[in-house]
Amino acid sequence: MAELKWKLLTRKRASSTKGVPPGKEDLAWVTNTVTLVYGQRDAVLADTFLSEQHSKELLDWVVESGKNLRTIYITHAHGDHFLGLKLLLDKFPNAKAIATASVVAAIQEQIKPEYIQSVWQPRFPGQIPSQLVAPEVIEGDTFYLEGEELKVVELGHTDTSHTTALYVPSIGLVISGDCVYNNTHPYLAECDEEAITEWLRALDRIESLHPKAVVAGHGVLDPDSSPRHIGETRRYLHDFVASLARTATAKELYEAMLALHPNRVNPGSLWAAAKASKPS
Ligand SMILES: [Zn+2]
């Protein structure tokens, strides 16, 4: 059995948060990352993109790989990871899209027209694919690619509830979903302090697997996928909790965190978190 390999496709898009205070315009973007794990013939894709254009580029990239796409695994129920799914399935009708039961249930809610029209269309006008589908519920927590295991790791609340990572033990790869961030402000707008504690436990869980490589859902354009981003994400979460306690307003919290993390991309994510934590 040949060793599995993997590669990444990253695409840059606008932040989903508008109205960010001025001063960090050069960092006002975010990437999404999809992972192709492949063997001699077959492949598994982890996550998809948000926009129709990026989904088409993703299709071409998978076709170019020459691999038979068998499975698309969705790590968590945020639209930037699953809105492109239908376009992929149309192109690869033999592929099966899967996710955990909790993720599938949340996606089914989020692909309802009223949710798309109120949440995604205003943020990305004209870019959202017109046809949307949810994945099917995975049976158990393991599936296979050319005889090698891929294991679903339940992470609880990280950037949203019921998130997961995908672990490929034979090559020491963890595809972290949005648990680990690479030089990007994590999305904390859905987190209270209890949820941040859960997120810290999720980072410990990933670290306990002693991965050789960790894919961050959001990172730089050419990411190193180093496990060191586990510790850097942990440090950011600790800094956020400490800054919450010593600031009074959203603006103060935002500025305190920017002083500690001046070079991370997507300050919009931090602004959304600051406003959610300290509504005026
Ligand atoms: Zn995301």
Side-chain angles (χ1 to χ4, degrees):
M1 208 156 43
E3 192 175 77
L4 297 180
K5 296 190 170 68
W6 57 280
K7 60 180 180 173
L8 304 179
L9 186 65
T10 56
R11 281 292 178 271
K12 195 170 169 175
R13 62 172 171 82
S15 174
S16 53
T17 307
K18 310 298 173 210
V20 182
K24 288 283 178 188
E25 288 77 5
D26 55 323
L27 297 171
W29 50 274
V30 63
T31 68
N32 269 79
T33 309
V34 299
T35 311
L36 191 75
V37 184
Y38 57 97
Q40 284 177 308
R41 304 173 311 278
D42 296 340
V44 169
L45 191 67
D47 286 338
T48 70
F49 289 132
L50 178 154
S51 72
E52 188 150 350
Q53 178 59 35
H54 288 170
S55 301
K56 286 178 179 159
E57 291 164 16
L58 172 57
L59 283 179
D60 291 342
W61 181 71
V62 176
V63 169
E64 261 167 42
S65 76
K67 302 298 175 185
N68 171 33
L69 185 63
R70 295 188 62 103
T71 309
I72 304 170
Y73 179 75
I74 304 296
T75 57
H76 66 292
H78 270 159
D80 54 324
H81 299 257
F82 68 75
L83 289 174
L85 186 54
K86 176 77 164 67
L87 294 168
L88 268 290
L89 290 174
D90 286 348
K91 180 75 184 183
F92 301 99
N94 297 324
K96 187 171 168 177
I98 53 174
T100 62
S102 306
V103 170
V104 171
I107 290 176
Q108 279 165 343
E109 286 302 308
Q110 293 177 28
I111 59 176
K112 289 181 175 166
E114 55 273 27
Y115 190 94
I116 295 295
Q117 277 153 26
S118 63
V119 175
W120 289 107
Q121 288 291 4
R123 287 171 174 80
F124 298 94
Q127 296 177 47
I128 309 300
S130 53
Q131 290 188 301
L132 304 168
V133 289
E136 297 172 39
V137 176
I138 185 175
E139 286 173 36
D141 65 355
T142 305
F143 58 102
Y144 294 87
L145 174 61
E146 296 189 358
E148 298 287 7
E149 278 184 338
L150 288 86
K151 296 186 85 72
V152 173
V153 182
E154 300 260 11
L155 297 176
H157 196 119
T158 60
D159 75 330
T160 189
S161 48
H162 305 298
T163 63
T164 72
L166 189 62
Y167 176 42
V168 192
S170 65
I171 52 173
L173 173 68
V174 171
I175 300 159
S176 85
D178 284 353
C179 180
V180 177
Y181 279 67
N182 176 345
N183 199 41
T184 302
H185 290 280
Y187 184 69
L188 283 153
E190 294 181 33
C191 288
D192 56 16
E193 285 197 48
E194 196 182 318
I196 295 176
T197 305
E198 224 173 298
W199 194 332
L200 288 164
R201 273 202 299 270
L203 290 168
D204 294 344
R205 175 89 178 87
I206 289 178
E207 196 166 59
S208 73
L209 300 170
H210 304 292
K212 285 187 203 154
V214 177
V215 174
H218 301 291
V220 296
L221 275 170
D222 188 16
D224 60 5
S225 302
S226 163
R228 76 186 163 87
H229 300 294
I230 299 170
E232 293 194 359
T233 304
R234 182 185 287 126
R235 185 165 67 87
Y236 187 100
L237 298 183
H238 283 303
D239 287 345
F240 189 83
V241 172
S243 300
L244 262 179
R246 62 184 173 83
T247 54
T249 64
K251 191 80 192 302
E252 280 177 27
L253 173 56
Y254 177 73
E255 282 168 1
M257 283 301 289
L258 280 189
L260 295 169
H261 299 273
N263 299 318
R264 284 185 178 245
V265 302
N266 199 15
S269 180
L270 173 59
W271 181 236
K275 283 190 300 175
S277 301
K278 295 189 185 289
S280 54

